[in-house]
Amino acid sequence: MVKRYTSMAYKAADDMIFGKSVYPVKAELGLEVGAGYVTAEVNYAPRPEAGVSKEKLVSEYRRLTTDIMARAVQVGFPAISLETEHVEQMTNNPSWGAEVAHVQKTIMEEYHEEYGIKCGLRHTPGDIREDRDLLALIGKKYDTLMESFEQVADSGADFLSIETMGGKEILDYAILRNDIPGLVYAIGCLGSIDMTMIWEDIRKIADKKGRVAAGDTDCSQANTAMFIAGGLLDKNLAHTIAIIARAISAPRTLAGYEAGAQGPGKDCGYENTIVKSITGCPIAQEGKTSTCAHSDVMGNLVMQCCDLWSNESVEYHAEFGGTSVQCWSESLNYDAAMLNVATETGNAKMLRDILVLSDKYRDPQGYVLAYDNAYKVGQAIVKDGDDLYLRAKNAAVSCVDILNSADSKKLVMSKFEINALNNAKAALDAMTDEADTFMSDSVEKYKAEVAVFRPDANYKF
């Protein structure tokens, strides 16, 4: 049953903090997420040559899992979570992913029993719902995807996640044209429709198997905007447009929780602080420790409310300090230890605010995602929480208002950024408040302009 959010989980933004959520979740081997402490979540990828056969792939994951667990125990860390983001072979062949999950969970059980380390295992099947250049969200690929979830849950995965692609075909068109209504339609409407369908089914599998339906991320859309926007010298896309896309992604990611997700949310969902403010569910985040995968402009700030602290993903290979997964997991664990000591000594909010202020005025994206402003975006979303269109539009409007009210001496924006922001505001001001009108106009517009858009095949539900 889908239940839309129309109120906030926290009475005030200042109540939000790392390591604590309103609704913690539990893994099988003692790990609790959001129950008062932060845990490192290590993310990794096999070397390409390991994917040539099931046997080689399983062997790769056996080695890297053992490396992570051995380093955690060797250095004395009390808890750890692992995330296995599937390479396509593992989801297209569900037995491959299942065997990997079984091998990983067996190793983790051994370390838990011998050393007492608390453990969690997340598996994230890939969104394989594509047919060459077209999205194929419903059909045989969907059935294979659900079978992958069934088998990894059977094989020991505690947390079930995915990075869905609903709306991506319109986002790719709209983002290149600074088309703000297109962003609202792609992310806030089509993305939320797809999320509602898939997360109802994931939750059913999780309940049947005794697992946790964890969470999603708008990696395919909001992260695309963030990566196109790039750094402070790049001008492929205004950072003000990128953060508007990110704000719109919050109600889209929220739709997963409304359909049954329980957290922890996925690490690369930079919108997660907004989502946590509404749901109270635990979240994973990535930032400064994800430089092995990509750069961002808010690497400290996003630690502010995390319950799991992740590195995005690192290829398995040798480094001077050990294997890559050992080196990055150790860094993550030391960060988690620092956050947890801040909590234990009563300094959590002080550390949170230091992390935020170190990035808040670097860029419009960090400014809006700082917990105080993220909370405001959350309030705008729940104001019309029952309406997928209006709440997405509200998020975008709130984002623009937050940027326009910022102290220009602290948050310095170039003419390029300000012009893009002004154009976005004008576009939002011109948008209707009638969801039916917007949806019918949008489907006709993008059917005519985007050749790969197939609304009847992909969004008929």
Side-chain angles (χ1 to χ4, degrees):
M1 178 179 176
V2 177
K3 184 178 180 180
R4 302 296 180 194
Y5 283 93
T6 56
S7 60
M8 304 292 283
Y10 296 88
K11 292 182 179 180
D14 191 54
D15 295 338
M16 299 171 64
I17 192 66
F18 49 76
K20 295 181 180 179
S21 63
V22 180
Y23 304 106
V25 295
K26 294 181 180 180
E28 194 172 20
L29 300 178
L31 180 69
E32 295 183 76
V33 184
Y37 57 93
V38 177
T39 301
E41 182 172 57
V42 191
N43 201 323
Y44 33 76
R47 290 164 290 192
E49 59 267 26
V52 298
S53 70
K54 178 181 178 180
E55 292 72 25
K56 287 188 175 181
L57 198 60
V58 171
S59 178
E60 185 91 336
Y61 280 104
R62 179 182 289 110
R63 287 195 299 269
L64 69 83
T65 301
T66 302
D67 284 355
I68 293 167
M69 297 306 300
R71 179 60 63 94
V73 169
Q74 186 81 348
V75 184
F77 296 120
I80 195 153
S81 185
L82 276 63
E83 181 183 5
T84 301
E85 292 183 338
H86 286 200
V87 294
E88 61 89 14
Q89 299 97 312
M90 292 166 63
T91 305
N92 279 315
N93 303 286
S95 66
W96 292 33
E99 182 63 21
V100 169
H102 171 71
V103 167
Q104 290 188 291
K105 192 61 172 285
T106 300
I107 294 167
M108 296 170 81
E109 287 171 345
E110 292 170 354
Y111 274 86
H112 174 68
E113 290 171 8
E114 185 165 356
Y115 301 105
I117 185 170
K118 299 175 182 178
C119 307
L121 177 63
R122 187 201 301 258
H123 264 242
T124 303
D127 194 345
I128 57 172
R129 298 175 298 158
E130 294 179 283
D131 183 10
R132 295 185 181 181
D133 295 328
L134 301 173
L135 287 182
L137 301 182
I138 304 171
K140 291 182 178 179
K141 291 288 187 73
Y142 187 83
D143 295 339
T144 302
L145 178 59
M146 290 300 111
E147 178 61 23
S148 179
F149 276 112
E150 290 262 3
Q151 292 206 25
V152 297
D154 268 336
S155 300
D158 298 293
F159 306 129
L160 306 180
S161 284
I162 189 172
E163 300 178 1
T164 49
M165 293 177 58
K168 173 70 170 169
E169 71 275 53
I170 303 302
L171 181 281
D172 289 346
Y173 179 85
I175 199 68
L176 296 177
R177 292 162 176 80
N178 289 339
D179 176 2
I180 301 300
L183 299 184
V184 172
Y185 185 56
I187 304 172
C189 299
L190 297 181
S192 295
I193 291 169
D194 182 50
M195 286 279 286
T196 300
M197 176 190 73
I198 197 168
W199 276 98
E200 282 192 289
D201 287 344
I202 295 171
R203 179 59 186 268
K204 290 174 185 176
I205 293 170
D207 286 348
K208 182 170 65 173
K209 306 295 183 181
R211 305 301 183 186
V212 178
D216 211 304
T217 164
D218 196 32
C219 183
S220 69
Q221 301 191 81
N223 283 13
T224 295
M226 182 176 76
F227 294 149
I228 295 173
L232 301 182
L233 299 180
D234 296 314
K235 289 185 171 58
N236 292 320
L237 179 72
H239 292 206
T240 48
I241 301 299
I243 189 55
I244 290 171
R246 180 69 64 190
I248 297 168
S249 78
R252 174 250 176 223
T253 298
L254 180 68
Y257 292 87
E258 293 169 327
Q262 303 156 279
K266 273 281 288 149
D267 56 344
C268 63
Y270 284 72
E271 66 274 12
N272 277 345
T273 298
I274 302 171
V275 176
K276 185 175 182 177
S277 75
I278 298 170
T279 66
C281 294
I283 59 173
Q285 290 280 228
E286 66 187 41
K288 66 188 181 72
T289 43
S290 64
T291 51
C292 51
H294 64 80
S295 177
D296 66 42
V297 291
M298 47 199 153
N300 286 326
L301 181 143
V302 288
M303 295 176 77
Q304 58 189 347
C305 297
C306 72
D307 300 291
L308 295 176
W309 181 234
S310 177
N311 64 308
E312 167 45 64
S313 188
V314 65
E315 185 187 74
Y316 185 54
H317 59 255
E319 299 277 7
F320 287 153
T323 59
S324 57
V325 294
Q326 289 179 313
C327 296
W328 287 93
S329 65
E330 186 170 338
S331 294
L332 291 169
N333 273 295
Y334 274 118
D335 280 343
M338 175 185 64
L339 297 173
N340 292 334
V341 168
T343 297
E344 293 164 7
T345 59
N347 293 303
K349 288 186 177 181
M350 179 184 294
L351 178 56
R352 176 199 63 189
D353 292 349
I354 290 171
L355 292 167
V356 169
L357 288 172
S358 68
D359 291 332
K360 184 174 182 178
Y361 298 103
R362 188 189 310 280
D363 184 83
Q365 296 170 90
Y367 185 77
V368 174
L369 293 178
Y371 69 90
D372 55 335
N373 288 325
Y375 189 86
K376 295 175 183 176
V377 177
Q379 289 177 308
I381 292 166
V382 300
K383 183 176 68 173
D384 291 295
D386 289 323
D387 189 312
L388 295 182
Y389 162 63
L390 279 181
R391 69 188 199 174
K393 180 189 172 189
N394 290 351
V397 170
S398 176
C399 176
V400 170
D401 290 344
I402 288 167
L403 290 175
N404 278 328
S405 63
D407 185 339
S408 60
K409 292 182 180 179
K410 291 183 177 180
L411 180 66
V412 179
M413 292 186 284
S414 67
K415 289 182 179 180
F416 172 69
E417 296 289 350
I418 293 171
N419 287 340
L421 183 62
N422 290 338
N423 290 338
K425 184 180 187 310
L428 288 166
D429 287 345
M431 290 173 65
T432 180
D433 285 333
E434 297 297 326
D436 290 344
T437 300
F438 177 80
M439 293 296 286
S440 61
D441 288 350
S442 294
V443 73
E444 294 305 319
K445 170 182 169 64
Y446 294 109
K447 280 174 65 176
E449 296 179 13
V450 182
V452 296
F453 182 41
R454 303 187 300 166
D456 294 334
N458 285 324
Y459 304 102
K460 61 185 178 183
F461 49 84

